[in-house]
Amino acid sequence: MPAQRQWVSQSVAIIEADFNRSADTHLIPLDLAGFAGIDVYFKDESSHPTGSLKHRLARSLFLYALCNGKLRQGAPVIEASSGSTAVSEAYFARLLGLPFIAVMPATTSQAKIAQITFYGGQCHLVDDPKAIYSESARLAREQGGYFMDQFTFAERATDWRANNNIAESIFQQMSRERYPIPTWIVASPGTGGTLATIGRYVRYQRHDSQVLAVDPEHSVFYQNYLTGDAQLTLARGSGIEGIGRPQVEASFVPQVLDAMLKVPDAWSLAAMHYLAQRLGRRVGASSGTNLLGVLLAAEQMHAAGQQGSIVTLLCDSGERYASTYYDDAWLAAQGYDLPALIVQIAATAEQGAALPAPVVEHFSRAGAQG
């Protein structure tokens, strides 16, 4: 067997052995007293070895690149990432003995940068969030490496039909609950790959579950869903790390979504703090974004007289954001005043009060499907 082919075979075996040592992530119930007969679950992706949902993506991307002949022994791997994907890819690069370079916005939290370097990765910071793609491609060319390009390959690197993807895992774990087929599955797009996997899987399995994507304030995905315009751009990046993009990514597949909601960042952060209080531990801001989608879905079900279940994702741990989203001085400096918003979110979750207008005014079921 040629040396390169033998190295690929050994590398795949290393990644598969790492997967075999890993348990699945927990499905955590969250009682919403305001919505009797509606059961809510958070799939805790923060329990992966690298602490986030992106561990699944990184594993799939490395296997995809290896089996497509893109990685070479000793050659660097470069990724454009706002943090969590880079942390996970640094982990897998270290498993294979490959150099890893993360190209990230300069605003990425120091905690994430520290985690990347912990796994042996290098951090290449850029001022313009939209420049991470071109800069990654340049580094790959100049250093003879490979640009992993999560935003292009996320939707195709994962086998959406099965192979223990996140959607299959959700339905297996729900099988003994009183409402085993979720009425709604809620997630927020970073690359869009997870939503693509879930949307395709429910169609392939012929489940009745609907898929709701929740987009943060500074992101183009919601508008792309409404208009189908793939050329949309924003001048700034998302204020919620890990989700939302300033341009439409190839892995975002609006046709597999049943609805979308766009929410202001302040409400995502307030929902994050409320969820952390309920769970007794810090969670990331994207989990707060997801909670707002859950509350809207619960409102819709309640108004229709439906009972059933809703599943969403707890994307990462809030410990990564101790110096930002959980720091009162940082929040004040950014102009966020959250206590009153937290009270309103609690009223919806615990008493069934209507969600405030700023949360629900950008909601659509039509999108690119219509």
Side-chain angles (χ1 to χ4, degrees), residues 203 211-213 220-229 252-261 362-370:
R203 285 158 174 75
V211 180
L212 169 62
V220 298
F221 288 137
Y222 178 77
Q223 197 65 23
N224 173 240
Y225 176 76
L226 293 181
T227 66
D229 183 357
F252 180 65
V253 186
Q255 293 83 359
V256 302
L257 304 177
D258 297 288
M260 273 201 82
L261 172 68
H362 297 298
F363 172 71
S364 175
R365 288 179 177 271
Q369 301 176 89

Side-chain angles (χ1 to χ4, degrees), residues 161-172:
R161 288 164 293 190
N163 195 26
N164 196 40
N165 65 44
I166 192 169
E168 182 184 41
S169 176
I170 286 170
F171 281 93
Q172 286 178 346

Side-chain angles (χ1 to χ4, degrees), residues 28-32 40-46 267-295 312-318 326 338 341-343 345-346 349-350:
I28 301 172
L30 180 73
D31 176 53
L32 296 184
V40 172
Y41 304 83
F42 276 80
K43 188 159 177 60
D44 184 8
E45 295 295 286
S46 72
W267 286 94
S268 289
L269 296 176
M272 174 198 75
H273 280 272
Y274 173 75
L275 183 59
Q277 293 170 10
R278 291 291 310 276
L279 296 179
R281 60 188 173 100
R282 289 176 173 177
V283 299
S286 57
S287 299
T289 306
N290 289 342
L291 175 60
L292 295 172
V294 166
L295 293 175
T312 191
L313 308 179
L314 197 164
C315 303
D316 62 358
S317 167
Y326 285 96
L338 303 183
L341 308 188
I342 296 171
V343 169
I345 290 168
E350 299 167 21

Side-chain angles (χ1 to χ4, degrees), residues 42-354:
F42 276 80
K43 188 159 177 60
D44 184 8
E45 295 295 286
S46 72
S47 60
H48 283 295
T50 54
S52 82
L53 168 67
K54 300 301 185 180
H55 193 85
R56 294 180 188 269
L57 173 59
R59 181 194 295 122
S60 296
L61 287 169
F62 267 83
L63 289 172
Y64 186 85
L66 283 164
C67 294
N68 279 280
K70 302 297 185 181
L71 300 184
R72 293 181 297 107
Q73 187 172 12
V77 175
I78 294 94
E79 182 60 285
S81 172
S82 62
S84 288
T85 302
V87 173
S88 298
E89 287 189 15
Y91 171 90
F92 285 103
R94 188 175 73 170
L95 276 183
L96 304 185
L98 298 175
F100 178 75
I101 303 171
V103 181
M104 302 183 297
T107 55
T108 302
S109 69
Q110 288 299 313
K112 284 188 177 178
I113 292 172
Q115 286 188 299
I116 294 164
T117 57
F118 172 79
Y119 289 119
Q122 302 175 48
C123 298
H124 184 86
L125 304 180
V126 296
D127 292 326
D128 180 1
K130 290 185 289 185
I132 61 176
Y133 311 94
S134 58
E135 189 67 4
S136 296
R138 182 188 69 80
L139 288 174
R141 287 193 305 270
E142 292 181 358
Q143 301 195 22
Y146 176 65
F147 173 25
M148 193 69 84
D149 196 2
Q150 59 163 325
F151 296 106
T152 295
F153 295 107
E155 58 87 13
R156 67 192 73 170
T158 300
D159 185 349
W160 48 268
R161 288 164 293 190
N163 195 26
N164 196 40
N165 65 44
I166 192 169
E168 182 184 41
S169 176
I170 286 170
F171 281 93
Q172 286 178 346
Q173 290 178 312
M174 286 291 294
S175 63
R176 298 194 180 188
E177 302 301 312
R178 66 169 175 167
Y179 303 115
I181 304 300
T183 303
W184 287 94
I185 302 178
V186 179
S188 44
T191 62
T194 296
L195 280 162
T197 296
I198 293 170
R200 289 163 171 168
Y201 183 85
V202 297
R203 285 158 174 75
Y204 179 65
Q205 295 293 339
R206 303 183 300 281
H207 293 312
D208 290 333
S209 303
Q210 298 178 81
V211 180
L212 169 62
V214 192
D215 206 25
E217 180 176 355
H218 300 286
S219 176
V220 298
F221 288 137
Y222 178 77
Q223 197 65 23
N224 173 240
Y225 176 76
L226 293 181
T227 66
D229 183 357
Q231 305 306 312
L232 294 167
T233 61
L234 289 177
R236 57 157 291 173
S238 174
I240 305 299
E241 279 198 36
I243 59 172
R245 300 297 306 156
Q247 65 183 44
V248 181
E249 305 295 351
S251 287
F252 180 65
V253 186
Q255 293 83 359
V256 302
L257 304 177
D258 297 288
M260 273 201 82
L261 172 68
K262 186 183 184 75
V263 297
D265 288 352
W267 286 94
S268 289
L269 296 176
M272 174 198 75
H273 280 272
Y274 173 75
L275 183 59
Q277 293 170 10
R278 291 291 310 276
L279 296 179
R281 60 188 173 100
R282 289 176 173 177
V283 299
S286 57
S287 299
T289 306
N290 289 342
L291 175 60
L292 295 172
V294 166
L295 293 175
L296 177 61
E299 277 193 353
Q300 300 256 320
M301 291 173 65
H302 180 74
Q306 287 182 298
Q307 296 187 341
S309 59
I310 303 171
V311 177
T312 191
L313 308 179
L314 197 164
C315 303
D316 62 358
S317 167
E319 298 306 322
R320 294 177 171 178
Y321 311 103
S323 62
T324 54
Y325 302 146
Y326 285 96
D327 183 85
D328 290 340
W330 184 90
L331 290 170
Q334 304 302 312
Y336 292 120
D337 186 11
L338 303 183
L341 308 188
I342 296 171
V343 169
Q344 293 181 71
I345 290 168
T348 298
E350 299 167 21
Q351 301 163 27

